[in-house]
Amino acid sequence: MEDLRARGISDERVLDAMASIPRERFLDRTFAARAYEDSALPIGEGQTISQPYTVAYQTQALDVKPGEKVLEIGTGSGYQAAVLAKMGLRVYTIERHVDLLEAARKRLELLGFHRVISRAGDGTRGWPEYAPFDAILVTAGAPDVPESLTKQLNPNGGRMIIPIGGRQSQKMYLIRRTGDEFAGEELIGFAFVPLIGAEGWTI
Ligand code: SAM
């Protein structure tokens, strides 16, 4: 956690949640020994668990409060969903790879995160049945902001954190909604796997 602090992560709720969740439990045995490196690691299907700094950065930027409803696009290993649940959020998460989702669900159950609600599918369309969301966290790189997601942000101060750019590298954006107004702030650069879907990249 000291490494994260040194890189500007100061939200104690984020640091506490991450410190309390065993990241090795979200990895295959082959990679478990590397769980506490600050790097993205393979989780199958050509996908990765985000590096701890990225998880901390996106979570801190969303400035979430306990009890808020958050939608994560890209469940992957389930680690980010666990961090959000540990912070007292009502978590909804979508993953396009069914096998990854099944593995993530098992891990979350085993670790006691029974309230995370998840489904397989194209997250670029969001989850209209549960909208609006106080926060939306996109964990894959998009060519542009999916309109379906902006529509599902809470008009009363909803926030979305999303990497936007090319297939190889992106800039992080924080988007805030007030009524029908959207304000976007460009943050720092990252490199995510692509967001694939109807309002993302084609395969
Ligand atoms: N949050 C994850 C974790 O904690 O392990 C890491 C996510 S990984 C960097 C990005 C994930 O987004 C991949 O598992 C990928 O399959 C998924 N993904 C890509 N496009 C998607 C889409 N349209 N809908 C849902 N998931 C998507």
Side-chain angles (χ1 to χ4, degrees):
M1 293 306 130
E2 288 318 307
D3 290 357
L4 295 179
R5 271 184 216 284
R7 294 186 70 184
I9 305 300
S10 55
D11 186 330
E12 296 298 333
R13 299 165 310 150
V14 175
L15 293 164
D16 286 352
M18 289 183 65
S20 72
I21 294 169
R23 189 168 181 257
E24 69 276 12
R25 298 281 295 273
F26 293 82
L27 288 163
D28 193 84
R29 258 190 221 134
T30 329
F31 296 105
R34 298 176 56 193
Y36 295 94
E37 285 177 11
D38 192 20
S39 55
L41 292 166
I43 54 171
E45 305 286 356
Q47 305 304 318
T48 53
I49 181 173
S50 299
Q51 78 181 88
Y53 174 68
T54 306
V55 172
Y57 185 93
Q58 288 197 286
T59 312
Q60 175 167 280
L62 275 179
D63 193 22
V64 283
K65 322 237 170 346
E68 285 190 328
K69 196 170 16 157
V70 59
L71 174 66
E72 179 196 20
I73 310 302
T75 316
S77 68
Y79 178 75
Q80 173 76 71
V83 170
L84 296 167
K86 189 78 189 180
M87 291 175 72
L89 296 159
R90 291 178 286 153
V91 183
Y92 297 81
T93 181
I94 307 174
E95 169 57 52
R96 62 182 287 273
H97 285 289
V98 179
D99 290 353
L100 292 184
L101 184 73
E102 289 306 324
R105 278 181 172 160
K106 278 189 196 137
R107 293 184 190 111
L108 290 166
E109 276 299 315
L110 279 171
L111 290 169
F113 295 104
H114 306 300
R115 292 198 180 150
V116 171
I117 299 174
S118 60
R119 75 168 170 90
D122 177 7
T124 65
R125 300 290 205 199
W127 204 337
E129 294 84 349
Y130 290 111
F133 297 97
D134 302 302
I136 299 179
L137 195 163
V138 182
T139 71
D144 215 333
V145 186
E147 205 184 330
S148 298
L149 296 184
T150 56
K151 284 186 184 153
Q152 291 172 38
L153 272 181
N154 185 342
N156 192 14
R159 289 92 61 209
M160 171 164 30
I161 185 95
I162 178 168
I164 302 282
R167 279 187 95 109
Q168 309 298 335
S169 66
Q170 308 85 27
K171 282 277 166 63
M172 194 70 80
Y173 281 81
L174 181 64
I175 297 160
R176 289 172 201 280
R177 179 172 187 183
T178 311
D180 287 330
E181 301 286 315
F182 294 88
E185 187 185 344
E186 184 183 301
L187 305 170
I188 59 176
F190 282 90
F192 280 81
V193 294
L195 181 75
I196 303 208
E199 296 181 47
W201 297 99
T202 48
I203 294 175

